[in-house]
Amino acid sequence: MDARHRRARRELARNRPQGPLRLHLGCGPTLKQGWVNVDLEDPGADYRLDIRRDWPFEDGSVDTIYSEHFFEHLEYPGEVESFLREALRVLRPGGRRSSGVPDTESILSAYASKNGEHFDSAREKGWHPTWCDTPLHSVNYHFRQGHEHKYAWDFETFARVLEQAGFTRTSEREYDPELDNEAWRAGTSYVDGYKPE
């Protein structure tokens, strides 16, 4: 187990945050006020936990779990199911799990319809590097992002996996300026699911 993860677990055992908690998982450098910001790599996170492992939060202690452009970095099958089991365990009944993931449906639609503007825009916004100078280079980058992306998601697939894990009321939602990063708005699919009451 990673030393950063062990240290964070010990710190959480000594100074357990009081609930109901709001967890911002895979936060990177984007820290949310009033949330417990968790990221294994980013030194600015409140806790440097490896959330592919068991989470050191009590059953039913969390009100909301949020992540943005993180879920696609988990292996499926394997890490995704473990993540969702832990999410269900720590959420209170009726608690919300919300994620924003790269919108795979839009990039495949743009490729199929030969919409070059979509790919030009992705490069201009810095989502894809300049060497992605053909639509298929951009599609490949979307799916792999070097070796960082492990799985691509659309709403239908994400909803199915959430429901199989035990979440209910899965829905695709609009961008929320109070929650989501404006820089990723155009290229993101936002999906919610709830722990059963």
Side-chain angles (χ1 to χ4, degrees):
M1 188 182 301
D2 185 284
R4 294 167 294 186
H5 184 78
R6 286 193 303 271
R7 277 193 301 275
R9 287 182 68 91
R10 285 193 301 270
E11 185 180 340
L12 272 162
R14 286 191 307 270
N15 303 305
R16 189 159 305 281
Q18 299 304 303
L21 303 175
R22 295 185 299 168
L23 301 180
H24 180 200
L25 303 180
C27 65
T30 306
L31 306 180
K32 293 187 178 300
Q33 289 268 352
W35 292 71
V36 176
N37 297 283
V38 176
D39 193 286
L40 181 61
E41 301 297 333
D42 197 280
D46 298 321
Y47 298 101
R48 295 182 71 184
L49 291 167
D50 185 347
I51 52 181
R52 295 168 299 179
R53 304 180 185 281
D54 294 344
W55 302 356
F57 300 102
E58 295 177 11
D59 295 2
S61 64
V62 174
D63 185 61
T64 306
I65 295 171
Y66 175 78
S67 65
E68 190 173 26
H69 285 252
F70 165 76
F71 214 73
E72 66 277 10
H73 296 266
L74 298 176
E75 295 279 355
Y76 182 82
E79 293 172 344
V80 166
E81 296 92 335
S82 176
F83 178 100
L84 293 175
R85 272 192 305 276
E86 283 296 283
L88 271 176
R89 180 185 66 77
V90 302
L91 279 170
R92 66 164 176 78
R96 175 184 178 204
R97 193 227 47 85
S98 185
S99 289
V101 293
D103 184 4
T104 299
E105 185 174 351
S106 69
I107 197 168
L108 293 179
S109 294
Y111 180 80
S113 66
K114 301 190 182 306
N115 179 355
E117 290 177 20
H118 178 93
F119 300 103
D120 292 342
S121 175
R123 280 191 305 279
E124 287 167 13
K125 292 176 180 174
W127 295 345
H128 295 180
T130 55
W131 61 260
C132 290
D133 58 359
T134 71
L136 191 56
H137 278 321
S138 287
V139 169
N140 274 295
Y141 187 77
H142 171 90
F143 277 86
R144 295 180 179 88
Q145 194 173 350
H147 297 287
E148 293 182 26
H149 284 185
K150 307 298 184 192
Y151 208 75
W153 297 97
D154 65 2
F155 171 69
E156 177 185 18
T157 306
F158 208 160
R160 176 84 45 87
V161 169
L162 287 172
E163 290 161 4
Q164 289 170 341
F167 285 88
T168 61
R169 296 185 287 143
T170 56
S171 62
E172 195 164 24
R173 67 169 174 82
E174 295 294 318
Y175 165 82
D176 179 349
E178 298 294 317
L179 192 60
D180 306 316
N181 188 331
E182 171 66 31
W184 287 330
R185 178 179 188 171
T188 302
S189 174
Y190 300 101
V191 181
D192 285 355
Y194 294 83
K195 181 173 179 172
E197 296 279 354

